[in-house]
């Protein structure tokens, strides 16, 4: 497979809007994969992200193997833990939790993962991950023991994302948290995008076409949606490809 990161860059240069369907191995019934991917493949989705905050050993690998049977879309790991890394996927978001100050999620888990990544063909994409408060206590906060950034402290959010870029990260993932009550505000997305020279991923709490369009219009290059598809697969019908 061609470089997923290069494909993202090339899509952005053509002003294409990218959409990742997030699948949490802990919540997704593997036996639904075939039916679910009929809908995914007919939709405007461009990427599959796989990961979750709390996932049992081998659940991710089993699911990735199954997903690969039903789609040609790139499968990108979005791991909540080292145990979720599998060579069966195409790429790995190598996440640093820039919004928090827990060294385990800034460098500790990364060191732990190296023995697993040695010799692996996974494309590794260093990604600055930033959790912004969304009116709900999230699994990320619970697992990482960190607090999200305050949504009214926009300059701090902008400066943090820019620091991630200066550290050499290739993507910034701005996150309201899975199942967030409300998605990130226009001001946050726009402010961060204006300062960044690397692609911007936005996710959390996006449940309809209007919110999706707004996220793109104000600067998201790639939007991630999970819960809306988990709750109601008919959302894929709204996002069908137009041939
Ligand atoms: C979570 O950004 C993703 O990490 C997707 O969030 O489940 O709310 O769509 P939702």
């Amino acid at each position: 497979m061609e470089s997923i990161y290069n494909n993202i860059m090339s899509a952005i240069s053509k002003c294409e809007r990218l959409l990742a369907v997030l699948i949490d191995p802990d919540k997704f019934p593997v036996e639904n994969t075939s039916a679910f991917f009929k809908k995914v493949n007919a939709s405007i989705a461009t990427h599959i992200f796989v990961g979750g905050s709390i996932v049992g050993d081998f659940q991710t690998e089993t699911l990735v193997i199954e997903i690969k049977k039903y789609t040609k879309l790139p499968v990108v790991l979005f791991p909540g833990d080292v145990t979720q890394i599998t060579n069966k996927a195409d790429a790995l978001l190598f996440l640093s939790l820039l919004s928090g100050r827990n060294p385990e999620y800034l460098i500790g888990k990364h060191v732990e993962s190296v023995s697993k990544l040695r010799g692996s063909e996974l494309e590794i994409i260093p990604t600055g991950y930033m959790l912004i408060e969304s009116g709900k206590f999230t699994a990320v906060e619970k697992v990482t023991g960190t607090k999200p950034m305050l949504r009214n402290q926009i300059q701090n959010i902008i400066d943090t994302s820019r620091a991630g870029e200066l550290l050499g990260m290739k993507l910034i993932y701005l996150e309201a948290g899975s199942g967030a009550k409300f998605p990130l505000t226009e001001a946050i997305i726009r402010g961060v995008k204006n300062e960044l020279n690397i692609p911007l991923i936005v996710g959390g709490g996006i449940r309809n076409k209007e919110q999706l369009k707004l996220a793109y219009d104000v600067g998201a290059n790639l939007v991630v949606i999970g819960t809306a598809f988990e709750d109601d697969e008919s959302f894929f019908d709204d996002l069908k490809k137009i041939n």
Side-chain angles (χ1 to χ4, degrees):
M1 184 172 284
E2 285 175 61
S3 155
I4 287 159
Y5 188 74
N6 288 347
N7 285 346
I8 290 174
M9 295 303 280
S10 137
I12 292 171
S13 71
K14 291 183 254 170
C15 296
E16 289 171 14
R17 297 173 158 189
L18 303 170
L19 175 68
V21 176
L22 173 65
I23 302 179
D24 182 340
D26 191 47
K27 297 185 189 155
F28 186 83
V30 181
E31 60 278 12
N32 276 8
T33 314
S34 161
F36 188 80
F37 272 86
K38 276 198 185 107
K39 296 193 167 185
V40 173
N41 292 333
S43 79
I44 57 171
T46 56
H47 293 76
I48 306 301
F49 282 9
V50 179
S53 296
I54 304 154
V55 179
D57 288 357
F58 307 113
Q59 254 179 307
T60 305
E61 181 155 298
T62 307
L63 180 60
V64 169
I65 291 171
E66 198 63 12
I67 289 172
K68 285 291 205 177
K69 291 183 194 164
Y70 298 105
T71 189
K72 292 195 164 36
L73 294 177
V75 177
V76 178
L77 298 174
F78 170 52
D81 197 72
V82 181
T83 55
Q84 293 173 39
I85 296 176
T86 163
N87 290 327
K88 305 293 179 193
D90 301 303
L92 165 69
L93 298 183
F94 204 56
L95 301 165
S96 286
L97 184 63
L98 300 182
S99 51
R101 294 295 177 268
N102 182 344
E104 272 305 299
Y105 291 89
L106 287 164
I107 184 65
K109 298 280 180 190
H110 311 72
V111 175
E112 219 180 289
S113 69
V114 168
S115 59
K116 218 167 174 178
L117 294 173
R118 202 167 274 131
S120 153
E121 287 184 7
L122 272 176
E123 179 179 339
I124 299 170
I125 309 175
T127 302
Y129 181 71
M130 296 169 52
L131 181 67
I132 317 296
E133 50 110 355
S134 66
K136 187 184 152 190
F137 184 70
T138 62
V140 176
E141 286 174 72
K142 186 173 172 208
V143 170
T144 64
T146 65
K147 293 248 176 291
M149 302 185 81
L150 300 178
R151 57 172 51 210
N152 59 3
Q153 294 190 351
I154 296 182
Q155 194 57 51
N156 192 24
I157 295 172
I158 294 171
D159 291 352
T160 305
S161 66
R162 178 73 180 136
E165 178 175 357
L166 293 172
L167 277 166
M169 282 156 199
K170 292 165 87 176
L171 296 171
I172 292 293
Y173 189 144
L174 272 190
E175 167 79 285
S178 190
K181 271 195 190 157
F182 27 78
L184 294 173
T185 62
E186 191 177 325
I188 294 174
I189 300 171
R190 201 191 289 280
V192 169
K193 183 62 190 176
N194 282 344
E195 189 101 0
L196 281 186
N197 302 297
I198 52 176
L200 177 62
I201 301 179
V202 171
I206 295 175
R207 292 168 189 273
N208 58 50
K209 261 174 108 168
E210 292 67 37
Q211 290 168 333
L212 176 63
K213 183 173 180 306
L214 181 68
Y216 288 130
D217 287 348
V218 297
N221 298 117
L222 187 155
V223 171
V224 186
I225 300 181
T227 306
F229 297 127
E230 275 166 26
D231 289 352
D232 183 4
E233 286 182 22
S234 71
F235 186 36
F236 281 118
D237 298 332
D238 291 347
L239 302 179
K240 272 208 177 122
K241 280 182 196 136
I242 302 160
N243 295 311

